[in-house]
Amino acid sequence: MTASAEAFAQASARVREARIRPEFRVDEAPAPQRLAPFALALTVESAIDDRDPLSGRFVLLHDPDGVDEWDGDFRAVVFARASLEPDLVADPMLHDVGWTWLVEALAETGAHASQLGGTVTATAGQSFGSLSDRPRDGFVEIRASWTPCSVDDAPVHESMERHVEAWIELLRHATGLMPMAPGAQHVQQSQIHPAPVHS
């Protein structure tokens, strides 16, 4: 195994060790093939049937040659989508609040990052005609990416689980869940469902 493949394998192992809230089901998914020589992807959905809809994706990219725009050789790319009350979607501060959720999630999990960028989108829907009895709906979507940085001068891949946990924390903010009490049990990463194997 090459040094770059070994670094990505170690980073992937740390990703799979991330602490996941019991309200979320996380699955490994087919990773994008054209963005970087190495990639790993996770998806999330609610683990509780009666919770409001949510979806999300976490992708870890690794290019051993580095990418100028990344200013590094690893990149985390995340997507989070959660339903909101239509009145909240109309709040002019929602975009700023949504971005604050991400910044706070990175800080709360100790995920050091640089070259952070992204967008917050709010959408609301109203049904008409034969569908007019349907309630109004609203969603917030957050798309972002950043370059993971080392913690305490350790290799970057040794703290990669923190970046997955930041994504989970972002989803917590977006879905309105309360923070978990210190010492509360998390689902261990060994219970994350692996990507299906196609014959």
Side-chain angles (χ1 to χ4, degrees):
M1 182 180 293
T2 65
S4 55
E6 177 66 23
F8 186 73
Q10 293 178 10
S12 299
R14 296 304 290 260
V15 163
R16 297 183 180 103
E17 292 174 0
R19 295 170 297 175
I20 308 298
R21 289 183 62 111
E23 298 91 345
F24 301 142
R25 172 191 166 108
V26 175
D27 298 90
E28 289 193 41
Q33 300 298 309
R34 298 182 180 180
L35 299 179
F38 300 92
L40 177 149
L42 304 174
T43 60
V44 68
E45 62 185 19
S46 175
I48 304 173
D49 292 339
D50 59 353
R51 282 206 60 82
D52 291 333
L54 71 95
S55 60
R57 187 172 175 88
F58 176 94
V59 178
L60 179 65
L61 305 173
H62 177 50
D63 188 330
D65 293 331
V67 177
D68 290 342
E69 291 80 3
W70 299 358
D71 193 24
D73 56 11
F74 280 97
R75 189 75 173 169
V77 182
V78 302
F79 168 72
R81 184 177 192 263
S83 64
L84 288 179
E85 294 293 333
D87 291 345
L88 294 177
V89 173
D91 188 332
M93 294 299 296
L94 177 60
H95 298 87
D96 293 309
V97 170
W99 190 250
T100 298
W101 291 339
L102 175 59
V103 173
E104 290 181 352
L106 290 165
E108 289 164 3
T109 56
H112 294 187
S114 67
Q115 302 300 317
L116 172 63
T119 60
V120 178
T121 304
T123 59
Q126 175 73 52
S127 299
F128 296 92
S130 62
L131 303 179
S132 60
D133 58 341
R134 292 185 179 181
R136 296 172 60 202
D137 57 14
F139 291 89
V140 61
E141 295 183 351
I142 302 168
R143 301 174 186 270
S145 64
W146 63 84
T147 299
C149 299
S150 63
V151 177
D152 297 329
D153 296 323
V156 173
H157 59 257
E158 291 186 3
S159 58
M160 208 59 72
E161 74 281 1
R162 300 186 186 202
H163 299 273
V164 179
E165 291 167 5
W167 169 59
I168 293 296
E169 189 67 8
L170 170 63
L171 287 161
R172 178 193 74 77
H173 282 289
T175 53
L177 291 170
M178 296 297 293
M180 296 197 77
Q185 292 297 313
H186 291 75
V187 175
Q188 293 302 308
Q189 190 66 24
S190 60
Q191 295 181 8
I192 282 184
H193 303 271
V197 177
H198 299 287
S199 57

